[in-house]
């Protein structure tokens, strides 16, 4: 696509940013829809983040995604943050408004739930969910599941205090469970989510016995490198429905693309295959 004087600009700020798959993802949509736009990686060191963020309007950018380690800072610096970003405590999508002010949201909860709906239609949301991990991604999962009406979320984490802090922050429907009790916590659950780094390439394996999971339960791994994690393979061997993390990445990108480039993008098979290459 040839860039013109009217090219719509967006990108992703991170440090490091080279590993981000977002330029590939947005580039696919820009090409597919023939949009005069560009989405570029922006390597921004933490001590320059505020300057870079405030510079978006002056440079004519429509906005950007924000990834590690800038997500909390983006929320703090924004002129306006929506309810979801505030509840998650971090922002990943910035929109520059006509007056140059910055509005932020967090689309990870949207991406999580849209992917779940796409991959496991009719998942049992009337039963407890078990969430492994208490980091930033887990906060988005909690917001998504509470908004989806899940009656109870059992969070289990290596560092129990972090799980307790989330339970305190999100109220009585969120329970902290000791890491050693993770297999027993699956009793009666409709959904298991891995929100830790365990099972990712280069990280230790995730060890959890799935025996207590009901046959209609869904297993969702946020890890997508590799795409078919050992957890998902173990779940598939039990004929449980499986959801991988790549779809969450694709769906979370939709609201930003629509805001910056003026078209609702679709998550399609070819897009999925293009992003899955090499995983
Ligand atoms: P984070 O804030 O650094 O949290 C990491 C979590 O993993 C913590 O709960 C940590 O437990 C746990 N953990 C790390 N090493 C462990 C080990 N050896 N044993 C037990 N637990 C361990 O990271 P995050 O941003 O939440 O991301 C978590 C995962 O989600 C990553 O794999 C990330 O790639 C993935 N993710 C995927 C998407 C997507 O779109 N699919 C989006 C966001 C994140 P402690 O609290 O005890 O340290």
């Amino acid at each position: 696509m040839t860039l013109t004087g009217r090219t719509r600009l967006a990108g992703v700020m991170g440090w490091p940013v080279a590993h981000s798959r977002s330029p590939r993802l947005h580039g696919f949509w820009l090409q597919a829809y023939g949009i005069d736009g560009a989405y570029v990686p922006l390597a921004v060191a933490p001590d320059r983040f505020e300057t870079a963020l405030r510079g978006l309007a002056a440079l004519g950018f429509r906005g950007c995604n924000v990834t590690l380690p800038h997500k909390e800072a983006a929320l703090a610096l924004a002129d306006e943050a929506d309810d979801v970003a505030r509840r998650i405590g971090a922002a990943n999508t910035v929109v520059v408004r006509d007056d140059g002010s910055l509005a932020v949201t967090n689309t990870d909860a949207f991406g999580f739930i849209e992917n779940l709906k796409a991959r496991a239609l009719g998942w049992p949301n009337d039963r407890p969910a078990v969430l492994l991990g208490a980091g930033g991604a887990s906060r988005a999962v909690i917001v998504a599941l509470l908004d989806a009406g899940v009656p109870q979320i059992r969070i289990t984490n290596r560092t129990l205090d972090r799980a307790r802090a989330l339970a305190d922050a999100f109220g009585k429907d969120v329970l902290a469970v000791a890491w050693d009790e993770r297999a027993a916590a699956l009793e009666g659950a409709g959904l298991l989510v891995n929100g830790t780094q365990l099972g990712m390439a280069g990280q230790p394996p995730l060890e959890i016995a799935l025996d207590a999971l009901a046959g209609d339960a869904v297993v969702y791994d946020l890890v997508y490198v590799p795409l078919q994690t050992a957890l998902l393979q173990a779940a598939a061997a039990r004929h449980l429905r499986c959801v991988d993390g790549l779809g969450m990445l694709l769906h979370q990108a939709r609201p930003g693309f629509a805001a910056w480039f003026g078209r609702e993008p679709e998550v399609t098979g070819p897009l999925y295959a293009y992003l899955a290459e090499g995983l």
Side-chain angles (χ1 to χ4, degrees):
M1 180 72 57
T2 307
L3 303 182
T4 71
R6 289 180 303 280
T7 300
R8 294 173 177 224
L9 298 171
V12 53
M13 288 189 194
W15 188 260
V17 80
H19 66 283
S20 173
R21 288 186 163 78
S22 294
R24 187 173 172 88
L25 164 55
H26 287 274
F28 180 97
W29 279 330
L30 289 170
Q31 181 84 27
Y33 302 133
I35 292 172
D36 182 9
Y39 182 103
V40 292
L42 299 163
V44 177
D47 62 340
R48 292 185 161 171
F49 178 66
E50 180 169 1
T51 309
L53 194 70
R54 300 217 184 279
L56 284 173
L59 289 167
F61 273 60
R62 303 221 161 200
C64 69
N65 283 126
V66 170
T67 188
L68 301 178
H70 303 314
K71 289 181 167 191
E72 285 85 8
L75 177 67
L77 293 168
D79 297 300
E80 189 185 311
D82 72 0
D83 187 47
V84 175
R86 281 199 297 269
R87 286 162 73 208
I88 295 174
N92 71 349
T93 303
V94 181
V95 174
V96 178
R97 294 186 296 203
D98 290 344
D99 64 358
S101 62
L102 303 175
V104 298
T105 184
N106 190 317
T107 62
D108 277 341
F110 172 84
F112 173 86
I113 212 75
E114 286 290 299
N115 186 39
L116 181 54
K117 287 194 280 190
R119 291 290 169 130
L121 195 65
W123 62 284
N125 69 341
D126 56 348
R127 301 215 304 274
V130 175
L131 172 59
L132 310 176
S138 291
R139 292 186 69 97
V141 172
I142 292 168
V143 167
L145 292 177
L146 289 174
D147 289 354
V150 166
Q152 183 185 77
I153 303 169
R154 302 168 183 165
I155 306 179
T156 175
N157 193 50
R158 174 180 61 178
T159 310
L160 182 57
D161 279 351
R162 292 187 80 193
R164 286 200 178 117
L166 288 181
D168 289 346
F170 285 98
K172 63 175 178 40
D173 296 333
V174 180
L175 302 182
V177 177
W179 185 242
D180 287 348
E181 304 296 320
R182 61 193 182 280
L186 299 176
E187 190 71 48
L191 175 69
L192 166 63
V193 181
N194 176 33
T196 73
Q197 286 144 1
L198 296 175
M200 188 192 291
Q203 297 289 329
L206 170 59
E207 287 166 10
I208 183 166
L210 301 179
D211 307 69
L213 267 185
D216 65 343
V218 173
V219 177
Y220 192 153
D221 204 336
L222 265 52
V223 171
Y224 57 84
V225 183
L227 196 53
Q228 292 307 320
T229 60
L231 172 66
L232 294 183
Q233 287 173 20
R238 292 178 166 271
H239 307 290
L240 299 171
R241 283 182 290 171
C242 296
V243 182
D244 64 64
L246 181 59
M248 174 172 166
L249 176 76
L250 304 184
H251 285 282
Q252 67 76 29
R254 285 167 42 200
F257 188 92
W260 307 318
F261 300 117
R263 163 140 192 184
E264 295 283 344
E266 284 176 291
V267 173
T268 59
L271 172 66
Y272 193 89
Y274 182 64
L275 265 293
E277 271 172 31
L279 292 182

